[in-house]
Amino acid sequence: MRIPLRRFAAPRWAEQEPTWRDAQPALIEAAVKHASVKPSGNWFVLAASRDVTASAPVGRVIGGREVVVWRGREGRVLGGPGTCPHMGAPLCDAAVHEGELVCRWHGLALGSRRFGTWSPYPAYDDGVLVWVRLDDVGGEEPLPEPVLPVRPEGGVDAVATMVGRCEPEDVVANRLDPWHGAWFHPYSFANLTVLRTPTEEDDRFLVEVTFKVAGRIGVPVTAAFTCPEPRTVVMHIVEGEGVGSVVETHATPLTLGRDGTPRTAVIEATIAHSHRRGFALAKSAAPVIRPLMKWAAARLWRDDLAYAERRYALRTTGRSA
């Protein structure tokens, strides 16, 4: 089988074709609005599945609510309020014993049943990410499970988490602006062309792009961007190397910072897949590959969070800071 790497030709950064005429603000805003009305069932991504273990809980503040998740008996993910109902201790610091949270302040054990004012939250482990349902935060009609995108079977997954001073819609807007890719991330993308934009019948962005590996060596693909729910943007590789591979960008609202600005967690799951026989070797080397996948995601979001944060500031105050 032919190796997927290709030598490509591309103009210098300043000489590439400008995309500002095509990147129409109204088109991007319409795509964001279309995503915002899709049902989420009040489900929020909290953490990577592998980060939630049987040895300790994981806590996060979502929409201003302290939330804690942990693994109960037989590895099932459980969730609940992150504040102990006895005297307010942080349950993210609790111990896990025989599938229950044990508060370190006075030993109160909490599990899958209601205790006084403390009531468990629905939690869901999709094999890559852990979700929690917060009906008082989401304010929608609850769904029994989160809305999940199609994923490849047997892929190598990695999850990176970054936090920005913005709201989820600013993160979504960044991902629904594919035109900025080769301009804002020239270290990763070249020869980017938006082949189609959303219509009433098909809400996909279709993009042709070369992922740069080193110098003039890269991997050309065609990718589709969609929003299965209001806080998620998914990129599927639909043509080229790694067909079926997915990058899921989930935006989870946290709480206000000390400066009064909202914080949003970008939790990005990359699930790489290939039909090549050599991919089995990549799967066996997953513990080594995952840190590289997370590094690549963090490098992109270092820039993209600056984009999202500036958009939030301009959107809410009319000023850049």
Side-chain angles (χ1 to χ4, degrees):
M1 300 179 68
R2 297 173 60 189
I3 61 173
L5 300 179
R6 300 286 184 273
R7 181 176 292 278
F8 66 89
R12 295 178 180 179
W13 179 83
E15 296 172 353
Q16 61 185 324
E17 186 69 25
T19 58
W20 65 269
R21 292 182 180 85
D22 295 326
Q24 301 173 28
L27 194 158
I28 297 169
E29 294 301 324
V32 174
K33 184 176 181 180
H34 185 75
S36 72
V37 299
K38 292 188 175 184
S40 72
N42 304 324
W43 288 95
F44 298 83
V45 173
L46 188 140
S49 296
R50 64 174 52 87
D51 290 341
V52 182
T53 68
S55 60
V58 174
R60 190 178 290 279
V61 178
I62 298 178
R65 304 287 191 278
E66 284 188 88
V67 180
V68 65
V69 294
W70 73 100
R71 293 201 182 270
R73 295 182 183 275
E74 300 179 354
R76 185 165 67 96
V77 168
L78 302 173
T83 301
C84 181
H86 176 224
M87 290 180 62
L91 292 178
C92 61
D93 296 331
V96 178
H97 177 66
E98 295 184 352
E100 292 187 318
L101 286 181
V102 180
C103 179
R104 294 187 182 277
W105 280 18
H106 300 93
L108 176 62
L110 299 164
S112 59
R113 297 182 180 180
R114 185 186 182 98
F115 184 92
T117 59
W118 190 93
S119 183
Y121 294 140
Y124 187 88
D125 183 355
D126 66 24
V128 177
L129 299 166
V130 167
W131 304 65
V132 64
R133 199 182 80 196
L134 303 175
D135 294 336
D136 60 336
V137 175
E140 300 178 18
E141 186 70 24
L143 293 176
E145 296 179 357
V147 180
L148 299 177
V150 175
R151 293 172 174 166
E153 294 184 6
V156 175
D157 66 274
V159 179
T161 301
M162 293 68 60
V163 176
R165 295 179 298 171
C166 60
E167 293 179 327
E169 75 164 83
D170 302 297
V171 172
V172 172
N174 170 271
R175 295 296 278 166
L176 295 181
D177 170 14
W179 295 277
H180 79 270
W183 283 100
F184 206 38
H185 307 294
Y187 47 81
S188 291
F189 307 119
N191 296 333
L192 189 151
T193 301
V194 178
L195 301 176
R196 69 177 307 279
T197 56
T199 65
E200 291 185 3
E201 294 76 25
D202 188 342
D203 65 354
R204 295 183 305 164
F205 284 90
L206 201 61
V207 178
E208 191 176 71
V209 64
T210 294
F211 290 100
K212 297 174 74 171
V213 176
R216 295 287 183 170
I217 302 298
V219 180
V221 302
T222 301
F225 291 79
T226 57
C227 293
E229 55 107 74
R231 291 177 294 274
T232 299
V233 182
V234 181
M235 182 193 77
H236 282 97
I237 303 298
V238 295
E239 290 183 19
E241 178 63 22
V243 167
S245 296
V246 173
V247 177
E248 301 175 10
T249 303
H250 302 273
T252 299
L254 303 180
T255 188
L256 298 180
R258 293 182 179 180
D259 60 357
T261 302
R263 297 317 195 246
T264 293
V266 177
I267 304 175
E268 188 158 277
T270 302
I271 303 101
H273 182 264
S274 176
H275 294 290
R276 294 177 182 274
R277 286 175 292 182
F279 187 68
L281 295 176
K283 291 179 64 175
S284 65
V288 176
I289 294 174
R290 281 195 185 100
L292 297 176
M293 295 169 67
K294 293 171 67 173
W295 173 83
R299 182 171 67 160
L300 287 173
W301 276 104
R302 177 193 62 201
D303 293 335
D304 279 340
L305 274 177
Y307 174 119
E309 289 174 347
R310 185 174 179 88
R311 180 185 187 273
Y312 169 79
L314 292 171
R315 179 170 61 83
T316 58
T317 69
R319 302 189 303 273
S320 60

